[in-house]
Amino acid sequence: MADMPEIAITGLGCVSPLATDAEATWRALVAGQSGITPLPDSFDERLGVRIAGRVTGELNPGAVEHKELRRMDRGILLALCAAREALEDARLLGAIGTAIDRDRIGVAIGSGVGGIQTIVQNDRIYVERGPSRVSPFFIPMTLANMPAGLIAIHHGLRGPNLCHVTACASGAHAIGESLRLLRAGDADAMVVGATEAAVIELVIAGFANMQALSKRNHEPERASRPFDADRDGFVLSEGAAVLVLERADHARARGARLRARVLGYGASSDAAHMAAPDAESGGASRCMRAALANARLAPADVDYVNAHATSTPAGDRVEALALREVFGAHADRLAVSSTKGATGHLLGAAGALEALFAVRALETGMLPPTLNLDRPDAECALDHVANKARSARARVVLSNSFGFGGVNAALIFGSADS
């Protein structure tokens, strides 16, 4: 890879159903904790699904005035919190505009559905109280690109500003396409990731009517069970995750810590169905092969996979099939887990949060578990990290993200010193 600049990860930040910062989220994950809880009693009692992964606890977006917070969709707030932590972790706060050229730092924050809470709230206001009572901030509050825009505004980041809206692959695409920008020399650093705040009645009803959600209301913490024979759908969750990607020479010049490296990225389309995965796993296989080629690695070089597996019957089977096709005999030596057993499915933000988990696995030598994997599906036979974290020295990690519309993305991360 001598002809391509090395791209490092220098900062991490997140808010998740497990905790409101990256380190506490990771500790909860490897300890086997679940972030899935019953919905509040205020949710419509007619909903057949009564569980979700919600962000609780105090949020810290940084220096944001109270009146401005009232003008933000929840997805924007979550993104600001994760971005502040990531920038602080990268030791960029306070250096932007002085030691660091703000024109060379960009932002790319994805989202699957944008400001859907604000849309539903203002539609209700329109119907019940009339058009004059709709918020004058309604439009900017709902735009999918506004989290990226406000992160740039709050931190004075004047480089490329992007938003990727590709369903459950949004966060992974934001990271991968930012890798391309950095390699091309269009920026020195990118603040990248995704946010989602869609745990509302309308979205729950929509997914439930598709038969996509788990109905295991009586035991929320056991409802999300990727690769398990008794899985019955995913659990809807919210949250945000942000990483600082930086040209390694730039990071070293300012004395930054290199937490890991981004080695490769692949993207593909199933071109098969609007919601169901390609049953033959062609799209998933192609994007993983593309990521390996982009990283100039062989399948045997990968040590661990953070799978997309959402706990749906079809999706988990297809991903397991794709892993077998791409990795062949090495699949039996490839540790695999889906952290959605603990977090549920953050939709567009899932790939960003799982990229953060991939980095932490590289740093700590701990592979996070797939919770509730009590009876592995025979069609999903792999070396599963089931129920308990595993101590293992991983140097190369693959993270998959697949979404409605047949979109696929795969990211490959490497340890900082490999």
Side-chain angles (χ1 to χ4, degrees):
M1 300 180 67
D3 57 340
M4 285 195 296
E6 182 184 6
I7 307 303
I9 298 166
T10 56
L12 303 174
C14 78
V15 288
S16 79
L18 291 170
T20 55
D21 66 79
E23 186 54 33
T25 292
W26 175 252
R27 288 198 306 268
L29 179 68
V30 297
Q33 297 177 21
S34 170
I36 311 305
T37 58
L39 290 171
D41 292 340
S42 58
F43 275 64
D44 192 331
E45 63 183 12
R46 296 172 297 175
L47 288 171
V49 172
R50 307 292 309 173
I51 54 177
R54 300 169 61 244
V55 173
T56 59
E58 185 176 352
L59 298 175
N60 180 12
V64 181
E65 293 184 7
H66 179 69
K67 66 177 182 179
E68 188 175 359
L69 289 173
R70 295 174 56 201
R71 300 169 182 171
M72 288 182 187
D73 181 83
R74 181 167 172 80
I76 298 173
L77 172 60
L78 298 180
L80 283 173
C81 293
R84 178 207 53 77
E85 184 187 8
L87 285 165
E88 184 175 50
D89 184 51
R91 301 172 189 170
L92 283 170
L93 288 183
I96 297 168
T98 53
I100 305 299
D101 183 357
R102 66 176 72 249
D103 294 349
R104 299 281 300 168
I105 303 179
V107 184
I109 303 294
S111 178
V113 296
I116 195 165
Q117 290 196 21
T118 298
I119 293 172
V120 170
Q121 290 166 358
N122 278 268
D123 179 67
R124 186 175 295 121
I125 290 170
Y126 179 91
V127 171
E128 296 176 355
R129 301 171 64 186
S132 65
R133 304 310 297 269
V134 171
S135 170
F137 300 99
F138 166 62
I139 298 300
M141 287 170 71
T142 63
L143 295 176
N145 74 302
M146 200 51 63
L150 285 182
I151 288 169
I153 290 167
H154 277 275
H155 297 287
L157 309 178
R158 300 193 302 214
N161 195 275
L162 308 168
C163 173
H164 298 82
V165 183
T166 48
C168 305
S170 299
H173 280 141
I175 295 168
E177 295 301 325
S178 294
L179 172 66
R180 295 183 193 271
L181 278 173
L182 291 165
R183 283 176 170 172
D186 294 330
D188 292 328
M190 292 289 296
V191 180
V192 305
T195 186
E196 204 77 272
V199 180
I200 61 172
E201 292 153 324
L202 179 64
V203 174
I204 293 170
F207 277 126
N209 290 346
M210 291 179 68
Q211 305 297 312
L213 297 182
S214 172
K215 299 182 179 65
R216 200 181 290 258
N217 296 323
H218 61 290
E219 45 182 3
E221 71 284 353
R222 293 180 57 78
S224 182
R225 37 198 325 110
F227 297 122
D228 191 80
D230 297 321
R231 66 192 184 277
D232 69 330
F234 73 84
V235 176
L236 180 65
S237 296
E238 66 177 359
V242 172
L243 297 77
V244 176
L245 271 56
E246 193 168 351
R247 290 172 65 100
D249 54 355
H250 183 268
R252 291 189 181 103
R254 66 181 186 85
R257 171 183 53 165
L258 277 59
R259 304 193 66 150
R261 296 178 299 144
V262 191
L263 302 180
Y265 163 58
S268 72
S269 172
D270 287 353
H273 191 276
M274 65 187 298
D278 174 7
E280 302 303 318
S281 76
S285 298
R286 285 193 302 276
C287 83
M288 284 189 270
R289 289 193 177 101
L292 287 166
N294 185 248
R296 300 181 184 176
L297 294 173
D301 294 323
V302 178
D303 301 305
Y304 165 67
V305 173
N306 188 299
H308 177 70
T310 64
S311 187
T312 60
D316 295 9
R317 182 193 66 79
V318 166
E319 185 170 11
L321 175 62
L323 287 167
R324 286 282 175 191
E325 289 183 348
V326 172
F327 288 95
H330 183 61
D332 293 321
R333 298 182 294 275
L334 186 65
V336 178
S337 65
S338 170
T339 46
K340 291 183 179 74
T343 67
H345 190 5
L346 278 68
L347 304 183
L353 184 61
E354 289 153 19
L356 185 151
F357 293 156
V359 172
R360 294 299 286 133
L362 288 164
E363 290 184 312
T364 64
M366 293 296 295
L367 307 183
T370 304
L371 294 193
N372 308 314
L373 184 49
D374 302 326
R375 194 164 66 93
D377 187 336
E379 292 190 284
C380 301
L382 295 162
D383 178 17
H384 294 291
V385 184
N387 295 311
K388 292 185 179 180
R390 180 188 301 176
S391 177
R393 179 58 171 156
R395 302 188 70 80
V396 176
V397 173
L398 170 73
S399 183
N400 284 330
S401 296
F402 312 132
F404 282 4
V407 293
N408 307 298
L411 296 164
I412 298 180
F413 302 95
S415 57
D417 58 356
S418 60

